[in-house]
Amino acid sequence: MVFAENQYQEGTRDTAWVFPGTALDGFSSGLESLFSQHVLRLPNNCTLLIEGDECRAVYYVRAGWLALSKALEGGQNQIIDFALPGDIVDPSGADGVTASVTVEALTDGALAAMPYRSWETMTGERPALHHLAHRMESAMHARRAERMLRVGRGAAEMRLAYALVEFCIRISPDSDGRNCEFHIPLTQQQLGDYVGLSSVHVCRTLRRMARNGILEMRDHMDIRVLDPRSLACLAGVDVEALKRAIMPQGA
Amino acid sequence: MVFAENQYQEGTRDTAWVFPGTALDGFSSGLESLFSQHVLRLPNNCTLLIEGDECRAVYYVRAGWLALSKALEGGQNQIIDFALPGDIVDPSGADGVTASVTVEALTDGALAAMPYRSWETMTGERPALHHLAHRMESAMHARRAERMLRVGRGAAEMRLAYALVEFCIRISPDSDGRNCEFHIPLTQQQLGDYVGLSSVHVCRTLRRMARNGILEMRDHMDIRVLDPRSLACLAGVDVEALKRAIMPQGA
DNA sequence: CGTCTCATTGATCCGCCTCAATAGCTGTGG
DNA sequence: CCACAGCTATTGAGGCGGATCAATGAGACG
């Protein structure tokens, strides 16, 4: 029943260790309330070192943006995915004791951890939850596959346009696409890490889109899409179809 | 209880429709035997059109290589992942009725389908199976993340070297890495589709590696790794760690 | 023997990376 | 209040990696 608060260790820099505890008991419906216990708060910019038993857990994002990333020796970084509030993160690799990604908080946020055993039990006992989890898993796969397609095969403009459409959908899924305006808590460097571009080229490409009247940008990634249709076209995306493919609650 | 054989339709070209049936009953231990019923044989080069109820199923690869891919309107193709014998494919998108990838047989093979409900029940009843499934899922994530890192951030040489190391591990997981020799049923075009390169550049890069004594190639992708250490170095990989991360049975 | 697919190699071009300099913004300390 | 440092965005210049186009081989197959 032990579950540590957010514990900092005077380590390299802004790094939090997480120690998941034992099984939860008592839960009600809805992911939010299922994960209402054992919440740990994450300060902006902190990196979660998940290893050993901590990999045998599932993490629910209650607030904030997380980046799941990997890096090469040379320091080249690639963001594998973002986790937004409501998402579930399972960082375990095949051996169950090594994380396959690094988790980093892009904003202040809150995370709830649950031992995988508990999660397994809960999903096993509640079909509706199991289905929701499956849908979320499928959505994540679809999302990553869409981006892999564009990172592997698309030019800079398509990669960025796609990323923006994806953000727009994930942030305001119910938006009709008319006045799509949102904030992404990312530097251009991080955006580049997401789509496989240098920050310089991200800047140039976004500027060009702005110049072409597709979007407007204000201080630090406040983005307003002026021409959603053109953006979707650049992204090579049918927005409604994409919504169905990558949003668990859609349809 | 109906389950159609491999049904061809004189359509566009080499395309098979699959109709998964109802729940399986009676199974023993081991994935192979769990999926012993409702097997359908796939001829080389055929494309599975999975949609509607067919998405509410899980597919077990009994034999052959499958490619899961996506394409842009322009015809640009990206292979999201390969499925090898023993792997489980779940093509469903978030809505549950649209596939997020296209499945294509790269060799003659055999596939077994199981309605997702049955799979859910089975995993729910057998913890060992549930754990195995989770490990396989984690392995797949780790594998795709590793490649996304390299497609997004690595040069051609690294992408290809990584792909070869991955193949080597997946094909002969128990190999000590000494005499790594294997066949991949891929054209250079398909290899390029896997790592985001043109077939021409795949050819050039492989030739260069061969010239440098890293590997030997014989007719149509019979590959023999002469210098595994250098290959791993090019790939930016610790082979043993990678094995642990992407192979379910390892450790 | 002709056709088809795939591998190979050359030549050319351009998209994106890298390096570099500047500017704006934020926070900090004197 | 200003000076300064640190971070991010922006813009320019130059170079290279990989795409594209094109031509030739080389098997496989009917």
Side-chain angles (χ1 to χ4, degrees):
Chain A
M1 209 59 75
V2 178
F3 196 96
E5 303 297 297
N6 189 10
Q7 298 197 354
Y8 288 95
Q9 208 144 341
E10 306 298 328
T12 43
R13 43 173 263 157
D14 280 1
T15 299
W17 275 259
V18 187
F19 303 95
T22 55
L24 292 177
D25 37 29
F27 49 79
S28 57
S29 62
L31 280 181
E32 182 77 18
S33 52
L34 283 181
F35 286 93
S36 60
Q37 302 177 34
H38 309 311
V39 174
L40 57 147
R41 300 176 50 219
L42 301 177
N44 186 356
N45 238 325
C46 86
T47 299
L48 287 175
L49 296 185
I50 300 177
E51 48 183 358
D53 274 346
E54 296 159 5
C55 283
R56 306 185 202 277
V58 159
Y59 298 84
Y60 174 80
V61 184
R62 300 198 90 207
W65 282 46
L66 300 180
L68 316 186
S69 65
K70 294 186 72 71
L72 296 172
E73 283 102 14
Q76 304 271 69
N77 200 45
Q78 173 71 41
I79 294 179
I80 304 302
D81 204 358
F82 293 115
L84 270 55
D87 287 339
I88 289 176
V89 176
D90 177 354
S92 65
D95 62 359
V97 294
T98 315
S100 63
V101 291
T102 302
V103 180
E104 184 184 1
L106 300 174
T107 65
D108 291 341
L111 207 57
M114 182 185 298
Y116 188 75
R117 299 264 176 192
S118 313
W119 174 243
E120 187 182 303
T121 304
M122 280 175 37
T123 53
E125 288 171 354
R126 329 180 90 217
L129 178 60
H130 194 168
H131 279 107
L132 176 59
H134 182 227
R135 288 288 167 82
M136 291 175 66
E137 184 81 8
S138 298
M140 193 186 67
H141 280 140
R143 195 200 309 149
R144 295 184 185 184
E146 290 287 346
R147 189 158 46 87
M148 187 177 279
L149 167 63
R150 285 163 181 85
V151 170
R153 290 312 192 179
E157 208 163 44
M158 170 174 285
R159 301 189 204 182
L160 282 170
Y162 171 77
L164 294 180
V165 172
E166 190 192 289
F167 291 145
C168 192
I169 290 178
R170 292 186 75 183
I171 292 174
S172 50
D174 303 325
S175 149
D176 58 350
R178 292 292 157 204
N179 58 354
C180 203
E181 191 170 356
F182 53 93
H183 171 81
I184 46 181
L186 304 173
T187 64
Q188 294 184 349
Q189 174 67 54
Q190 288 165 328
L191 192 48
D193 287 345
Y194 189 52
V195 297
L197 294 172
S198 70
S199 62
V200 173
H201 207 65
V202 167
C203 178
R204 274 191 233 279
T205 308
L206 287 180
R207 291 269 115 235
R208 178 160 10 108
M209 290 192 205
R211 223 177 304 129
N212 294 346
I214 294 180
L215 50 80
E216 265 180 16
M217 297 168 55
R218 265 184 293 271
D219 46 28
H220 275 252
M221 299 283 120
D222 273 327
I223 290 180
R224 178 177 188 178
V225 179
L226 300 176
D227 187 349
R229 184 160 311 201
S230 295
L231 187 67
C233 180
L234 284 181
V237 150
D238 171 345
V239 177
E240 290 309 315
L242 183 63
K243 221 179 269 190
R244 271 178 267 122
I246 70 171
M247 291 303 294
Q249 55 269 47
Chain B
M1 209 59 73
V2 177
F3 196 95
E5 303 297 298
N6 190 10
Q7 299 196 353
Y8 287 94
Q9 207 144 343
E10 306 297 327
T12 43
R13 44 174 264 160
D14 279 3
T15 300
W17 274 258
V18 187
F19 303 96
T22 55
L24 292 178
D25 36 29
F27 49 80
S28 57
S29 62
L31 281 181
E32 182 76 17
S33 52
L34 283 181
F35 286 94
S36 59
Q37 303 176 32
H38 308 312
V39 174
L40 56 148
R41 299 177 52 218
L42 301 177
N44 187 355
N45 238 325
C46 86
T47 299
L48 286 175
L49 295 186
I50 300 176
E51 48 183 0
D53 274 346
E54 296 159 3
C55 283
R56 304 185 203 277
V58 159
Y59 298 84
Y60 174 80
V61 184
R62 299 199 92 206
W65 281 46
L66 301 180
L68 316 185
S69 64
K70 293 185 72 71
L72 296 172
E73 283 101 14
Q76 303 272 68
N77 200 44
Q78 173 72 41
I79 294 179
I80 305 301
D81 205 359
F82 294 114
L84 270 55
D87 286 339
I88 289 175
V89 176
D90 177 354
S92 65
D95 62 0
V97 294
T98 315
S100 63
V101 291
T102 301
V103 180
E104 185 186 0
L106 300 174
T107 66
D108 290 341
L111 206 58
M114 183 185 298
Y116 188 75
R117 299 265 176 193
S118 315
W119 175 243
E120 187 181 304
T121 304
M122 281 175 34
T123 53
E125 289 171 353
R126 330 179 89 217
L129 177 60
H130 195 167
H131 279 107
L132 176 59
H134 182 227
R135 288 288 167 81
M136 290 175 67
E137 184 81 9
S138 298
M140 193 186 66
H141 280 140
R143 195 200 309 150
R144 295 185 185 183
E146 290 288 347
R147 190 159 45 89
M148 186 177 282
L149 167 62
R150 285 165 180 84
V151 171
R153 290 312 192 179
E157 207 162 44
M158 171 175 284
R159 301 189 204 182
L160 282 170
Y162 171 77
L164 294 180
V165 172
E166 191 192 288
F167 291 145
C168 191
I169 290 178
R170 291 185 76 183
I171 291 174
S172 50
D174 303 325
S175 147
D176 58 350
R178 292 292 156 205
N179 57 352
C180 204
E181 191 169 356
F182 53 92
H183 171 80
I184 47 182
L186 304 174
T187 65
Q188 295 184 348
Q189 174 67 53
Q190 289 164 327
L191 193 47
D193 287 345
Y194 189 53
V195 297
L197 293 172
S198 69
S199 62
V200 174
H201 207 65
V202 167
C203 178
R204 275 191 233 280
T205 308
L206 286 181
R207 291 268 116 236
R208 178 158 13 104
M209 289 194 207
R211 222 177 305 127
N212 293 344
I214 294 180
L215 50 80
E216 266 181 18
M217 298 168 53
R218 266 185 292 271
D219 45 29
H220 274 251
M221 297 284 120
D222 273 329
I223 290 180
R224 180 177 188 177
V225 179
L226 299 176
D227 187 349
R229 185 160 310 200
S230 295
L231 187 67
C233 181
L234 285 182
V237 149
D238 172 345
V239 177
E240 289 309 315
L242 183 63
K243 220 180 269 189
R244 270 178 266 122
I246 70 172
M247 291 303 293
Q249 55 270 45

PDB file of all heavy atoms in Angstrom, chain B residues 20-39:
ATOM      1  N   PRO B  20     -13.712 -13.463 -40.655  1.00  0.00           N
ATOM      2  CA  PRO B  20     -13.547 -14.188 -39.403  1.00  0.00           C
ATOM      3  C   PRO B  20     -14.890 -14.690 -38.905  1.00  0.00           C
ATOM      4  O   PRO B  20     -15.926 -14.071 -39.159  1.00  0.00           O
ATOM      5  CB  PRO B  20     -12.965 -13.136 -38.457  1.00  0.00           C
ATOM      6  CG  PRO B  20     -13.352 -11.832 -39.038  1.00  0.00           C
ATOM      7  CD  PRO B  20     -13.478 -12.025 -40.508  1.00  0.00           C
ATOM      8  N   GLY B  21     -14.854 -15.783 -38.209  1.00  0.00           N
ATOM      9  CA  GLY B  21     -16.102 -16.399 -37.762  1.00  0.00           C
ATOM     10  C   GLY B  21     -16.376 -16.122 -36.307  1.00  0.00           C
ATOM     11  O   GLY B  21     -16.061 -15.055 -35.803  1.00  0.00           O
ATOM     12  N   THR B  22     -16.967 -17.052 -35.657  1.00  0.00           N
ATOM     13  CA  THR B  22     -17.350 -16.837 -34.270  1.00  0.00           C
ATOM     14  C   THR B  22     -16.303 -17.390 -33.318  1.00  0.00           C
ATOM     15  O   THR B  22     -15.236 -17.798 -33.734  1.00  0.00           O
ATOM     16  CB  THR B  22     -18.703 -17.516 -33.994  1.00  0.00           C
ATOM     17  OG1 THR B  22     -18.586 -18.882 -34.355  1.00  0.00           O
ATOM     18  CG2 THR B  22     -19.791 -16.874 -34.804  1.00  0.00           C
ATOM     19  N   ALA B  23     -16.656 -17.410 -32.074  1.00  0.00           N
ATOM     20  CA  ALA B  23     -15.684 -17.752 -31.037  1.00  0.00           C
ATOM     21  C   ALA B  23     -15.101 -19.150 -31.191  1.00  0.00           C
ATOM     22  O   ALA B  23     -15.767 -20.088 -31.614  1.00  0.00           O
ATOM     23  CB  ALA B  23     -16.337 -17.629 -29.665  1.00  0.00           C
ATOM     24  N   LEU B  24     -13.852 -19.241 -30.878  1.00  0.00           N
ATOM     25  CA  LEU B  24     -13.211 -20.548 -30.806  1.00  0.00           C
ATOM     26  C   LEU B  24     -13.625 -21.211 -29.511  1.00  0.00           C
ATOM     27  O   LEU B  24     -13.873 -20.567 -28.516  1.00  0.00           O
ATOM     28  CB  LEU B  24     -11.691 -20.391 -30.784  1.00  0.00           C
ATOM     29  CG  LEU B  24     -11.024 -19.876 -32.040  1.00  0.00           C
ATOM     30  CD1 LEU B  24      -9.543 -19.743 -31.786  1.00  0.00           C
ATOM     31  CD2 LEU B  24     -11.296 -20.819 -33.172  1.00  0.00           C
ATOM     32  N   ASP B  25     -13.685 -22.521 -29.531  1.00  0.00           N
ATOM     33  CA  ASP B  25     -13.848 -23.212 -28.265  1.00  0.00           C
ATOM     34  C   ASP B  25     -12.805 -24.300 -28.199  1.00  0.00           C
ATOM     35  O   ASP B  25     -12.458 -24.914 -29.195  1.00  0.00           O
ATOM     36  CB  ASP B  25     -15.250 -23.798 -28.141  1.00  0.00           C
ATOM     37  CG  ASP B  25     -15.746 -24.301 -29.473  1.00  0.00           C
ATOM     38  OD1 ASP B  25     -14.898 -24.700 -30.298  1.00  0.00           O
ATOM     39  OD2 ASP B  25     -16.957 -24.284 -29.691  1.00  0.00           O
ATOM     40  N   GLY B  26     -12.286 -24.534 -27.036  1.00  0.00           N
ATOM     41  CA  GLY B  26     -11.287 -25.575 -26.869  1.00  0.00           C
ATOM     42  C   GLY B  26      -9.934 -25.100 -27.349  1.00  0.00           C
ATOM     43  O   GLY B  26      -9.736 -24.803 -28.518  1.00  0.00           O
ATOM     44  N   PHE B  27      -9.024 -24.967 -26.450  1.00  0.00           N
ATOM     45  CA  PHE B  27      -7.675 -24.576 -26.848  1.00  0.00           C
ATOM     46  C   PHE B  27      -6.724 -25.161 -25.820  1.00  0.00           C
ATOM     47  O   PHE B  27      -7.090 -25.456 -24.698  1.00  0.00           O
ATOM     48  CB  PHE B  27      -7.550 -23.065 -26.879  1.00  0.00           C
ATOM     49  CG  PHE B  27      -8.065 -22.409 -25.646  1.00  0.00           C
ATOM     50  CD1 PHE B  27      -7.301 -22.367 -24.489  1.00  0.00           C
ATOM     51  CD2 PHE B  27      -9.330 -21.849 -25.629  1.00  0.00           C
ATOM     52  CE1 PHE B  27      -7.786 -21.759 -23.356  1.00  0.00           C
ATOM     53  CE2 PHE B  27      -9.817 -21.241 -24.476  1.00  0.00           C
ATOM     54  CZ  PHE B  27      -9.045 -21.209 -23.341  1.00  0.00           C
ATOM     55  N   SER B  28      -5.536 -25.322 -26.232  1.00  0.00           N
ATOM     56  CA  SER B  28      -4.534 -25.821 -25.285  1.00  0.00           C
ATOM     57  C   SER B  28      -3.466 -24.753 -25.136  1.00  0.00           C
ATOM     58  O   SER B  28      -3.650 -23.620 -25.540  1.00  0.00           O
ATOM     59  CB  SER B  28      -3.942 -27.123 -25.813  1.00  0.00           C
ATOM     60  OG  SER B  28      -3.388 -26.896 -27.091  1.00  0.00           O
ATOM     61  N   SER B  29      -2.385 -25.115 -24.542  1.00  0.00           N
ATOM     62  CA  SER B  29      -1.381 -24.093 -24.258  1.00  0.00           C
ATOM     63  C   SER B  29      -0.501 -23.808 -25.467  1.00  0.00           C
ATOM     64  O   SER B  29      -0.352 -24.631 -26.351  1.00  0.00           O
ATOM     65  CB  SER B  29      -0.505 -24.554 -23.097  1.00  0.00           C
ATOM     66  OG  SER B  29       0.172 -25.736 -23.475  1.00  0.00           O
ATOM     67  N   GLY B  30       0.035 -22.603 -25.511  1.00  0.00           N
ATOM     68  CA  GLY B  30       0.898 -22.222 -26.625  1.00  0.00           C
ATOM     69  C   GLY B  30       0.109 -21.508 -27.694  1.00  0.00           C
ATOM     70  O   GLY B  30      -0.982 -21.921 -28.068  1.00  0.00           O
ATOM     71  N   LEU B  31       0.668 -20.449 -28.169  1.00  0.00           N
ATOM     72  CA  LEU B  31      -0.056 -19.666 -29.166  1.00  0.00           C
ATOM     73  C   LEU B  31      -0.361 -20.489 -30.398  1.00  0.00           C
ATOM     74  O   LEU B  31      -1.459 -20.433 -30.943  1.00  0.00           O
ATOM     75  CB  LEU B  31       0.773 -18.446 -29.555  1.00  0.00           C
ATOM     76  CG  LEU B  31       0.748 -17.287 -28.578  1.00  0.00           C
ATOM     77  CD1 LEU B  31       1.580 -16.150 -29.096  1.00  0.00           C
ATOM     78  CD2 LEU B  31      -0.683 -16.841 -28.355  1.00  0.00           C
ATOM     79  N   GLU B  32       0.616 -21.255 -30.826  1.00  0.00           N
ATOM     80  CA  GLU B  32       0.453 -22.040 -32.049  1.00  0.00           C
ATOM     81  C   GLU B  32      -0.828 -22.860 -32.014  1.00  0.00           C
ATOM     82  O   GLU B  32      -1.615 -22.844 -32.940  1.00  0.00           O
ATOM     83  CB  GLU B  32       1.667 -22.959 -32.221  1.00  0.00           C
ATOM     84  CG  GLU B  32       1.653 -23.797 -33.474  1.00  0.00           C
ATOM     85  CD  GLU B  32       2.013 -22.997 -34.720  1.00  0.00           C
ATOM     86  OE1 GLU B  32       2.586 -21.896 -34.580  1.00  0.00           O
ATOM     87  OE2 GLU B  32       1.693 -23.462 -35.823  1.00  0.00           O
ATOM     88  N   SER B  33      -1.051 -23.535 -30.887  1.00  0.00           N
ATOM     89  CA  SER B  33      -2.227 -24.392 -30.820  1.00  0.00           C
ATOM     90  C   SER B  33      -3.491 -23.587 -30.543  1.00  0.00           C
ATOM     91  O   SER B  33      -4.576 -23.965 -30.972  1.00  0.00           O
ATOM     92  CB  SER B  33      -2.023 -25.462 -29.746  1.00  0.00           C
ATOM     93  OG  SER B  33      -1.633 -24.854 -28.532  1.00  0.00           O
ATOM     94  N   LEU B  34      -3.336 -22.464 -29.846  1.00  0.00           N
ATOM     95  CA  LEU B  34      -4.509 -21.620 -29.618  1.00  0.00           C
ATOM     96  C   LEU B  34      -5.110 -21.195 -30.943  1.00  0.00           C
ATOM     97  O   LEU B  34      -6.314 -21.086 -31.109  1.00  0.00           O
ATOM     98  CB  LEU B  34      -4.110 -20.358 -28.838  1.00  0.00           C
ATOM     99  CG  LEU B  34      -3.871 -20.516 -27.350  1.00  0.00           C
ATOM    100  CD1 LEU B  34      -3.524 -19.178 -26.747  1.00  0.00           C
ATOM    101  CD2 LEU B  34      -5.113 -21.092 -26.696  1.00  0.00           C
ATOM    102  N   PHE B  35      -4.225 -20.960 -31.870  1.00  0.00           N
ATOM    103  CA  PHE B  35      -4.679 -20.465 -33.167  1.00  0.00           C
ATOM    104  C   PHE B  35      -4.665 -21.554 -34.224  1.00  0.00           C
ATOM    105  O   PHE B  35      -4.367 -21.302 -35.371  1.00  0.00           O
ATOM    106  CB  PHE B  35      -3.787 -19.321 -33.620  1.00  0.00           C
ATOM    107  CG  PHE B  35      -4.016 -18.038 -32.882  1.00  0.00           C
ATOM    108  CD1 PHE B  35      -3.267 -17.711 -31.781  1.00  0.00           C
ATOM    109  CD2 PHE B  35      -5.006 -17.169 -33.306  1.00  0.00           C
ATOM    110  CE1 PHE B  35      -3.476 -16.516 -31.102  1.00  0.00           C
ATOM    111  CE2 PHE B  35      -5.220 -15.973 -32.633  1.00  0.00           C
ATOM    112  CZ  PHE B  35      -4.455 -15.651 -31.537  1.00  0.00           C
ATOM    113  N   SER B  36      -4.978 -22.788 -33.788  1.00  0.00           N
ATOM    114  CA  SER B  36      -4.850 -23.886 -34.731  1.00  0.00           C
ATOM    115  C   SER B  36      -6.064 -23.986 -35.662  1.00  0.00           C
ATOM    116  O   SER B  36      -6.023 -24.680 -36.657  1.00  0.00           O
ATOM    117  CB  SER B  36      -4.657 -25.207 -33.978  1.00  0.00           C
ATOM    118  OG  SER B  36      -5.763 -25.415 -33.130  1.00  0.00           O
ATOM    119  N   GLN B  37      -7.123 -23.308 -35.292  1.00  0.00           N
ATOM    120  CA  GLN B  37      -8.308 -23.394 -36.143  1.00  0.00           C
ATOM    121  C   GLN B  37      -8.425 -22.161 -37.026  1.00  0.00           C
ATOM    122  O   GLN B  37      -7.748 -21.174 -36.829  1.00  0.00           O
ATOM    123  CB  GLN B  37      -9.559 -23.524 -35.273  1.00  0.00           C
ATOM    124  CG  GLN B  37      -9.477 -24.727 -34.340  1.00  0.00           C
ATOM    125  CD  GLN B  37     -10.666 -24.808 -33.423  1.00  0.00           C
ATOM    126  OE1 GLN B  37     -11.762 -24.419 -33.794  1.00  0.00           O
ATOM    127  NE2 GLN B  37     -10.436 -25.312 -32.225  1.00  0.00           N
ATOM    128  N   HIS B  38      -9.297 -22.259 -37.994  1.00  0.00           N
ATOM    129  CA  HIS B  38      -9.598 -21.104 -38.829  1.00  0.00           C
ATOM    130  C   HIS B  38      -8.367 -20.532 -39.502  1.00  0.00           C
ATOM    131  O   HIS B  38      -8.170 -19.328 -39.554  1.00  0.00           O
ATOM    132  CB  HIS B  38     -10.271 -20.016 -38.003  1.00  0.00           C
ATOM    133  CG  HIS B  38     -11.443 -20.523 -37.240  1.00  0.00           C
ATOM    134  ND1 HIS B  38     -12.416 -21.294 -37.818  1.00  0.00           N
ATOM    135  CD2 HIS B  38     -11.792 -20.362 -35.951  1.00  0.00           C
ATOM    136  CE1 HIS B  38     -13.327 -21.593 -36.912  1.00  0.00           C
ATOM    137  NE2 HIS B  38     -12.972 -21.051 -35.769  1.00  0.00           N
ATOM    138  N   VAL B  39      -7.539 -21.432 -39.939  1.00  0.00           N
ATOM    139  CA  VAL B  39      -6.320 -20.998 -40.612  1.00  0.00           C
ATOM    140  C   VAL B  39      -6.618 -20.695 -42.070  1.00  0.00           C
ATOM    141  O   VAL B  39      -7.341 -21.427 -42.728  1.00  0.00           O
ATOM    142  CB  VAL B  39      -5.243 -22.096 -40.523  1.00  0.00           C
ATOM    143  CG1 VAL B  39      -4.025 -21.703 -41.351  1.00  0.00           C
ATOM    144  CG2 VAL B  39      -4.866 -22.351 -39.080  1.00  0.00           C
TER     145      VAL B  39
END
